[in-house]
């Protein structure tokens, strides 16, 4: 997820260069991503979702269920990081951040982890944030809170290791991208 973000795009590009087949989900239209699709028409498949919209989230989860037998690796890089002063956080801010940063990830891993365990192979990478380590900034609390929640893997993920399903959380630090 998050193929149109700077880090997501670079990850997608690297996987394609390694001749992997990639299903990338994205929210924002990206000329770079569309051009990448032109260069890898048989290896890159794209789906556009706005996880804040419940119908898009439900469609995404249905697509996960349909493709779960073919997904061997899952990399979660979707994120919403609105700048909101801690004293001004609203219910909507929290719901939107959970809807993008946590809920799709939790429900996808629930479906994929089980399937990967049955097939005997799987790799799950969760892109989190270094902000979690420091408790979140005054203006990025919603983001850090929901990234922290995405790190809370259920006990069952430890059981999947016996089936060659490995899960890693990467706390990405400040990285020079268009947004940072």
């Amino acid at each position: 997820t998050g193929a149109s973000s700077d880090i997501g795009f670079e990850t997608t590009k690297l996987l394609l260069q390694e001749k992997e087949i990639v299903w990338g989900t994205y929210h924002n239209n990206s000329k770079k991503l569309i051009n990448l699709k032109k260069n890898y028409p048989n290896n890159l498949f794209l789906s556009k979702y706005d996880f804040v919209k419940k119908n898009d989230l439900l469609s995404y989860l249905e697509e996960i269920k349909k493709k779960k037998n073919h997904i061997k690796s899952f990399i979660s890089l979707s994120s919403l990081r609105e700048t909101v002063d801690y004293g001004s956080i609203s219910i909507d801010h929290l719901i939107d951040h959970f809807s993008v940063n946590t809920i799709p990830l939790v429900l996808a891993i629930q479906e994929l982890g089980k399937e990967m365990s049955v097939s005997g192979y799987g790799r799950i990478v969760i892109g989190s944030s270094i902000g979690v380590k420091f408790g979140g900034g005054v203006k990025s609390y919603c983001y850090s809170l929901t990234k922290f929640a995405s790190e809370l893997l259920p006990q069952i993920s430890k059981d999947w290791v016996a089936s060659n399903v490995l899960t890693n959380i990467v706390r990405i630090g400040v990285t020079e991208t268009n947004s940072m």
Side-chain angles (χ1 to χ4, degrees):
T1 61
S4 63
S5 71
D6 291 328
I7 295 171
F9 175 79
E10 292 300 325
T11 302
T12 300
K13 190 168 73 174
L14 286 171
L15 289 168
L16 291 168
Q17 289 169 350
E18 293 294 321
K19 300 185 179 8
E20 297 290 339
I21 296 173
V22 177
W23 170 42
T25 66
Y26 67 99
H27 172 250
N28 293 324
N29 286 330
S30 164
K31 288 181 184 177
K32 292 189 313 185
L33 193 58
I34 301 306
N35 286 335
L36 195 61
K37 170 73 176 153
K38 290 176 186 174
N39 293 335
Y40 296 93
N42 298 320
N43 287 54
L44 179 58
F45 303 90
L46 299 171
S47 298
K48 184 176 183 177
Y49 294 108
D50 181 351
F51 292 146
V52 171
K53 296 177 182 173
K54 186 175 181 182
N55 286 339
D56 275 15
L57 178 55
L58 292 171
S59 294
Y60 165 73
L61 295 171
E62 283 303 312
E63 195 162 1
I64 287 279
K65 288 178 184 177
K66 288 178 190 171
K67 296 179 184 286
K68 68 182 179 184
N69 296 336
H70 305 286
I71 297 173
K72 303 301 178 207
S73 299
F74 176 76
I75 303 171
S76 174
L77 293 170
S78 293
S79 69
L80 174 64
R81 186 184 180 276
E82 289 183 335
T83 303
V84 182
D85 187 69
Y86 180 79
S88 301
I89 293 172
S90 69
I91 291 170
D92 289 337
H93 291 124
L94 288 167
I95 289 171
D96 288 354
H97 279 81
F98 274 104
S99 293
V100 175
N101 300 344
T102 311
I103 295 170
L105 168 69
V106 169
L107 297 177
I109 290 175
Q110 180 185 55
E111 197 70 38
L112 294 172
K114 183 174 22 176
E115 182 62 33
M116 290 172 174
S117 185
V118 168
S119 73
Y121 180 86
R123 300 294 183 260
I124 299 169
V125 179
I126 300 167
S128 186
S129 169
I130 195 66
V132 170
K133 179 179 179 181
F134 301 109
V138 174
K139 296 187 181 285
S140 62
Y141 180 78
C142 291
Y143 172 77
S144 295
L145 173 68
T146 54
K147 285 297 186 176
F148 183 63
S150 71
E151 292 184 14
L152 300 174
L153 297 173
Q155 183 65 33
I156 194 168
S157 66
K158 293 177 183 167
D159 297 340
W160 296 338
V161 173
S163 299
N164 197 23
V165 179
L166 306 179
T167 304
N168 289 288
I169 297 164
V170 180
R171 285 187 174 169
I172 300 168
V174 178
T175 305
E176 187 175 338
T177 64
N178 289 334
S179 63
M180 283 291 216

